[in-house]
Amino acid sequence: MEPVQFSVLGPVRVQRAGADVALGGPQERALLALLLVRAGQPVAVSEIVTVLWGARPPHSAVNVVRRHIGSLRRLMEPGLPVRAAGRWLARDAGGYLWTADADSLDLLRFRRLRDEARRAEAGLAVELLVQALSSWQGPVAGDIAAEVRERAGFGAVDRERHAAVREAADAALRAGVPGVVLPLLRQAAADDPLDEPVLARLILVLAAMGQRCEAVDTYRTAATRLAHELGIDPGAELREAHRASLPDAAPQSSLPRPAQLPHDLPTFTGRESELDDVLARSDPTDRVVITAIGGMAGIGKTTLAVHLAHRVAERFPDGQLYVNLRGFDPSGAVMSAGEAVRLFLDALGVPPERVPNAVEAQAALYRGLLAGRRFLVVLDNARDTDQVRPLLPGTPGCLTIVTSRSSLSGLIAAHGAHALTLRPLTAAGQARAFLKRRLGAARLAGESRAVGEITALCAGLPLALACVAARAATRPHFPLSAVAAELRAAHGSLDAFNRTDPAVNLGAVFSWSLGAVSPGAARLFRLLGLHPGPDVGAPAAAALAAVPVPEARGLLAELADVHLTREHAPGRYALHDLVRAHAAELVRDEDDRAAAVERLYAHHLHTAHAADRLLAPHADPLPPDPPPPGVVPQAPSDDQDALAWLAAEYRVLLAVIDAAARSGRDHLAAQLAWSLEPFFDRRGHWHDGAAAQRTALDCALRLSDPAWEARGLRGLARAEGRLGLHDSSVARLRRALDLFTELGDTTGQAHTHRSLGWECEQQGDLPGALRHNEQALELFRQSGPPAAQASVLNSVGWYHALLGRYRQALSHCFEALPLLQDLGDRYGQAVTWDSIAYAQHGLGRHPHALLGYHNALTLYRELGVPYLEACTLAHIGDTQLAMGAPEEAETSWRQALALFTSLGHPDAEQVRERLHAARGSGRDLA
């Protein structure tokens, strides 16, 4: 009798004497699959009907099943007489039964070996399970329609495979042979990237093999997917595997260790009992620890939190995260939870393209990255529990310190936070010690009455005492009695904060400090109340006050000397919320209030526009109106200078966009948002970019101007496209194209075609991408600027190269390159050299390709674009390998891998695979 083999662990197959048997139509194949999966068990006719047709079978279904059964009988045993009992298929209990054994059916063979492995010791169990799993060629009956597979319950059998993979991994780890199961784990993880038990074992096996970098990358990728697709954190098993895989000295590039704490105050004093209380509760080894420091404004919450953080920082070797949430900022520019969590993800090395869109998913990714690590997180100046909740670590090992003027009762009730409410410093003890630490014991000697009066007038408020101490320190020959008399005679108000404690007149303290500075500094202080951002630099302050920059720098330093401003970073000055509120009160009667705001906003708009022209000379500019008198915008010297200014002013620029839109300055808000577009794209700030472009579109719609609406649509579409929101992005671009066409704006049409081309590329439509860019080129040649023509020439060349038309690609790119060189567009030159090198490689001209890639690499390094630098290094390695230089290729790939790993970018895996393939071994090359 000819041997027959049945396979259902993959496509359904029947082999007779080693040759495939041609099976019937889809329903016959599905019926055979059902009977094979249920081999040895009767399958009722009613169940067969449900599997084949679902809830609404035809009236003839039973007869059709019988015909299929007859066909299968004849197919399996061609010479079987009618009504004779067959070897394989029999009628049984109102249904049909397939008779098979482990020698003829792969599913039964798999189960036999699995069961033997469960009774064997670890070493033999691994061998048996690997042998069992070798039978699988894909999902059970993978060639059957998905809805039929679902009705038949084949997914449950698929899960047996993953269970066996997990058992094999456990046995291999016990036996000390983890490498045996690594291919099986990789395949299982690729089949189901959300199977946490499989991923946990993959991480453990990689770590056991010494491939700890890849183990960490696997965990981070898993955490990202879970956050993106399910909006959840990694489970306990996956977190534990990650924790167990962490090396004692992991490469810094794999595990970023941010250190964001502000500097500790060297003159910190008092609060000993509060510190002791918190320190006693700050060990988060086996629990989640949150300390909520509350109290009125100016009570010293931030100072205590930062001092406490520095005291315990060494307990948290994985890093410290800090953010000022601006919960009570007088300008109303409260930081959103999404903005804060994105700042943390950036600090943790997550590339922008891997940040999910939804805040919930972003928070889940953030918590996943902190899982298994010891982090100190300081959330300063929170508005309420809702703002804080997404920023809380989710597992033991981290300490979170939160400060707020609110009670944060929700944080205490729902998250078990330890509450610490600060009270004013006691006059006799803490406040006197405060002044002694600032002024020295000799200054206080014999001045007990004056010290008592000062502490009483300041009501024990550290912020007020600091201002008074600063004033006294600048007048070392004044007796403290004179200082107390000055303070007593001062007047001012801060009515907005009297509700916290009417006994404290901070306005008097601030006004008194203001009296100690020059009139120019006092005027600048009042105008700083109009500034919407978190801090200010000297050039912006100069525009605000209409004074030269050197003079503004001196005035800011003068204000810092009396604690009315604080230089929190070199050249960047911030005001305490209460100080800013007081400044805003004083500027209410300023004649030049509106003019000062216009100067400030114009300074940022014109400087951003100048930076835009350097970063994207091919873009479609919208020149702003001339700046008002007193404004001398900064002029970045090159793209590096432009990037430095944009990075320093980034949060301020976002605040200006919002403030301008709220105040009815729609033209300015939209223009500023569009000027920042190249920076958003270059640095990957796509979430912020989308928010800014949405504001710009709202402004454009309020203006009822079709040209501005078209720009707004295109700007928002580009940002949405970067975030993967392609459906809305393409719809906006098509609407923008219609508007530009109606307006006869060929330049606008051309730029929109380029954006549509990029969207086609994302969808795999390379001919469509080429078509849109060729349309853009034709339009630019009619009226576009040379920079735009040069840029799109390279794009056309690139798409030709991707389509394998390498000579056409070179023709376009070599036409673009001299234009870009004449324009001084180094970024455009780098991209074009990369395109040229890709085409040369495709033509087999490897030395020419290597030259092009090295030219691109040099420019990318000068420009500080690490992702594209890594991509180019990987391509250099490919070319070196093609030239027969594997050692040089390995060096280039290693450099690329280090960069990709430092960025946390998934392309690291592709480079790692190149290294493994080139070396022909499974050793860890990461």
Side-chain angles (χ1 to χ4, degrees):
M1 184 179 294
E2 295 176 325
V4 182
Q5 292 291 321
F6 304 100
S7 299
V8 75
L9 301 182
V12 181
R13 294 177 65 197
V14 178
Q15 289 184 312
R16 183 182 292 114
D20 282 346
V21 175
L23 301 178
Q27 283 196 331
E28 287 184 22
R29 297 173 68 86
L31 174 57
L32 175 60
L34 177 63
L35 294 170
L36 289 173
V37 169
R38 301 280 289 278
Q41 307 170 38
V43 183
V45 172
S46 60
E47 183 178 355
I48 295 173
V49 169
T50 300
V51 168
L52 295 183
W53 286 281
R56 295 185 175 181
H59 295 299
S60 60
V62 174
N63 289 332
V64 174
V65 169
R66 289 172 180 162
R67 287 201 300 271
H68 290 334
I69 291 291
S71 295
L72 286 175
R73 284 179 183 275
R74 292 189 295 274
L75 191 63
M76 296 301 110
E77 300 175 83
L80 185 68
V82 178
R83 300 187 184 279
R87 176 184 177 188
W88 305 109
L89 188 55
R91 182 85 186 198
D92 188 280
Y96 299 94
L97 181 143
W98 195 276
T99 303
D101 56 25
D103 293 329
S104 61
L105 178 58
D106 56 0
L107 174 59
L108 296 181
R109 186 163 52 253
F110 159 77
R111 287 172 173 168
R112 183 185 66 187
L113 291 168
R114 179 199 62 191
D115 293 342
E116 290 177 9
R118 289 173 175 172
R119 297 188 295 269
E121 53 82 24
L124 178 58
V126 175
E127 294 181 18
L128 291 169
L129 286 167
V130 170
Q131 184 181 348
L133 288 162
S134 66
S135 301
W136 287 78
Q137 304 300 317
V140 171
D143 56 340
I144 302 301
E147 60 271 17
V148 175
R149 293 187 73 253
E150 183 177 356
R151 292 195 292 264
F154 291 165
V157 186
D158 286 330
R159 288 191 284 275
E160 292 184 38
R161 177 190 188 186
H162 278 212
V165 171
R166 296 196 296 270
E167 292 176 29
D170 293 339
L173 288 168
R174 291 196 304 272
V177 289
V180 174
V181 297
L182 182 58
L184 295 171
L185 284 166
R186 289 192 193 278
Q187 183 59 54
D191 291 342
D192 187 355
L194 300 177
D195 187 331
E196 294 192 52
V198 165
L199 291 166
R201 286 160 176 82
L202 175 57
I203 290 169
L204 291 173
V205 164
L206 287 168
M209 295 175 64
Q211 300 181 26
R212 295 187 181 274
C213 290
E214 186 177 352
V216 171
D217 285 345
T218 299
Y219 174 79
R220 296 174 116 184
T221 300
T224 301
R225 283 201 178 101
L226 289 167
H228 267 293
E229 299 182 29
L230 303 179
I232 63 173
D233 300 334
E237 186 176 13
L238 191 54
R239 295 198 307 270
E240 181 57 36
H242 174 237
R243 185 182 295 110
S245 72
L246 294 178
D248 294 333
Q252 296 298 308
S253 60
S254 296
L255 296 172
R257 298 179 62 184
Q260 297 184 326
L261 292 180
H263 72 275
D264 194 11
L265 187 66
T267 55
F268 181 88
T269 189
R271 306 297 189 193
E272 286 80 8
S273 62
E274 291 92 338
L275 275 171
D276 291 342
D277 183 29
V278 176
L279 288 170
R281 302 169 182 261
S282 62
D283 183 8
T285 302
D286 58 354
R287 57 197 175 95
V288 177
V289 175
I290 305 168
T291 293
I293 301 176
M296 64 177 290
I299 200 71
K301 300 182 294 297
T302 297
T303 301
L304 175 62
V306 171
H307 181 73
L308 168 64
H310 280 280
R311 287 277 296 270
V312 300
E314 64 181 15
R315 303 182 191 176
F316 304 92
D318 291 315
Q320 307 95 43
L321 296 168
Y322 171 88
V323 64
N324 179 5
L325 296 170
R326 304 197 302 270
F328 296 88
D329 193 291
S331 71
V334 179
M335 182 178 290
S336 69
E339 183 181 359
V341 77
R342 289 194 295 274
L343 289 174
F344 282 172
L345 290 175
D346 182 60
L348 292 167
V350 179
E353 65 270 18
R354 293 179 63 188
V355 176
N357 292 323
V359 174
E360 293 81 1
Q362 294 168 9
L365 173 58
Y366 159 71
R367 290 191 296 270
L369 293 173
L370 264 57
R373 301 170 70 182
R374 295 182 63 83
F375 261 90
L376 174 60
V377 182
V378 180
L379 308 175
D380 194 16
N381 198 13
R383 187 169 190 83
D384 51 35
T385 301
D386 288 340
Q387 188 187 24
V388 168
R389 190 175 288 112
L391 306 173
L392 299 175
T395 56
C398 298
L399 169 65
T400 306
I401 303 172
V402 186
T403 74
S404 179
R405 297 178 199 170
S406 298
S407 62
L408 299 180
S409 56
L411 195 65
I412 297 165
H415 298 275
H418 166 58
L420 174 64
T421 301
L422 298 185
R423 306 296 180 190
L425 301 176
T426 59
Q430 295 172 321
R432 183 181 181 87
F434 185 102
L435 293 174
K436 180 179 178 181
R437 183 70 180 270
R438 301 293 182 100
L439 299 174
R443 187 75 182 276
L444 272 62
E447 295 263 24
S448 296
R449 184 171 181 176
V451 170
E453 187 173 7
I454 289 171
T455 57
L457 289 167
C458 292
L461 202 62
L463 178 59
L465 286 166
C467 291
V468 173
R471 166 69 165 149
T474 61
R475 302 291 188 272
H477 303 298
F478 279 30
L480 291 185
S481 57
V483 174
E486 283 187 354
L487 180 59
R488 187 171 59 249
H491 60 83
S493 75
L494 206 60
D495 296 336
F497 293 89
N498 280 348
R499 59 182 175 81
T500 58
D501 189 341
V504 181
N505 190 345
L506 273 175
V509 175
F510 298 154
S511 295
W512 175 72
S513 298
L514 202 57
V517 301
S518 67
R523 176 174 176 268
L524 176 59
F525 173 77
R526 293 191 293 271
L527 294 174
L528 287 174
L530 304 173
H531 192 281
D535 59 5
V536 64
L544 191 63
V547 298
V549 173
E551 182 179 341
R553 192 172 287 115
L555 298 177
L556 287 168
E558 193 177 345
L559 292 171
D561 288 342
V562 294
H563 284 241
L564 290 176
T565 62
R566 177 174 61 90
E567 190 177 11
H568 70 97
R572 307 294 302 180
Y573 292 82
L575 278 69
H576 187 283
D577 291 352
L578 292 182
V579 178
R580 183 183 294 189
H582 183 60
E585 283 188 346
L586 298 179
V587 81
R588 285 175 181 167
D589 297 327
E590 285 283 341
D591 293 336
D592 62 348
R593 176 189 177 95
V597 171
E598 294 299 334
R599 288 195 299 271
L600 176 69
Y601 290 1
H603 165 79
H604 287 299
L605 173 60
H606 281 266
T607 308
H609 178 72
D612 175 26
R613 303 310 305 132
L614 287 168
L615 296 181
H618 60 275
D620 184 11
L622 188 65
D625 295 332
V631 175
V632 180
Q634 291 175 255
S637 58
D638 54 26
D639 47 7
Q640 288 297 94
D641 195 19
L643 286 170
W645 181 83
L646 289 164
E649 296 285 347
Y650 183 54
R651 294 294 155 192
V652 174
L653 292 165
L654 295 179
V656 168
I657 291 171
D658 288 340
R662 289 197 307 269
S663 62
R665 297 175 173 88
D666 288 331
H667 282 98
L668 190 146
Q671 284 183 296
L672 182 53
W674 296 332
S675 294
L676 296 181
E677 189 176 1
F679 182 71
F680 290 137
D681 204 43
R682 185 81 68 92
R683 290 296 171 88
H685 295 309
W686 297 321
H687 291 86
D688 289 338
Q693 300 301 341
R694 195 169 289 109
T695 298
L697 178 57
D698 290 342
C699 292
L701 291 171
R702 283 197 295 270
L703 293 168
S704 298
D705 184 330
W708 284 63
E709 180 184 351
R711 282 178 173 273
L713 286 164
R714 190 180 67 204
L716 180 54
R718 286 172 170 172
E720 288 177 333
R722 292 294 190 267
L723 291 171
L725 305 174
H726 298 298
D727 288 343
S728 60
S729 175
V730 171
R732 293 189 200 279
L733 288 171
R734 294 197 182 284
R735 171 61 180 153
L737 185 60
D738 289 342
L739 287 172
F740 282 127
T741 303
E742 292 170 8
L743 293 164
D745 184 346
T746 56
T747 300
Q749 293 173 58
H751 281 290
T752 309
H753 273 298
R754 293 199 69 185
S755 296
L756 284 166
W758 184 85
E759 291 287 350
C760 287
E761 180 185 358
Q762 302 311 299
Q763 296 168 18
D765 180 11
L766 294 178
L770 176 59
R771 185 174 60 255
H772 276 294
N773 278 271
E774 287 177 333
Q775 288 178 277
L777 179 58
E778 182 179 348
L779 290 164
F780 278 139
R781 280 178 165 158
Q782 293 176 23
S783 59
Q789 293 183 43
S791 179
V792 77
L793 273 167
N794 171 63
S795 296
V796 171
W798 172 244
Y799 289 120
H800 274 302
L802 291 179
L803 289 165
R805 304 166 185 169
Y806 301 120
R807 296 185 187 281
Q808 291 168 278
L810 290 174
S811 173
H812 285 87
C813 292
F814 278 127
E815 184 181 350
L817 188 61
L819 294 173
L820 292 163
Q821 290 169 336
D822 291 343
L823 293 163
D825 183 356
R826 294 193 297 157
Y827 187 84
Q829 292 173 52
V831 174
T832 305
W833 275 119
D834 183 82
S835 301
I836 289 170
Y838 185 90
Q840 297 282 25
H841 184 101
L843 289 169
R845 300 172 180 172
H846 298 129
H848 294 83
L850 205 58
L851 175 63
Y853 280 134
H854 278 298
N855 288 340
L857 182 66
T858 300
L859 289 166
Y860 284 140
R861 284 174 170 168
E862 291 175 357
L863 294 167
V865 191
Y867 170 70
L868 293 178
E869 179 185 344
C871 292
T872 305
L873 282 165
H875 292 150
I876 288 174
D878 296 343
T879 302
Q880 289 167 329
L881 184 66
M883 295 173 69
E887 293 182 359
E888 289 85 346
E890 182 178 324
T891 299
S892 298
W893 285 333
R894 284 184 178 277
Q895 293 173 4
L897 180 61
L899 279 170
F900 280 133
T901 304
S902 70
L903 294 170
H905 200 280
D907 286 0
E909 182 59 30
Q910 299 175 17
V911 179
R912 190 177 286 109
E913 289 174 359
R914 286 186 177 96
L915 284 164
H916 282 287
R919 296 294 296 272
S921 72
R923 65 179 249 212
D924 178 26
L925 296 173

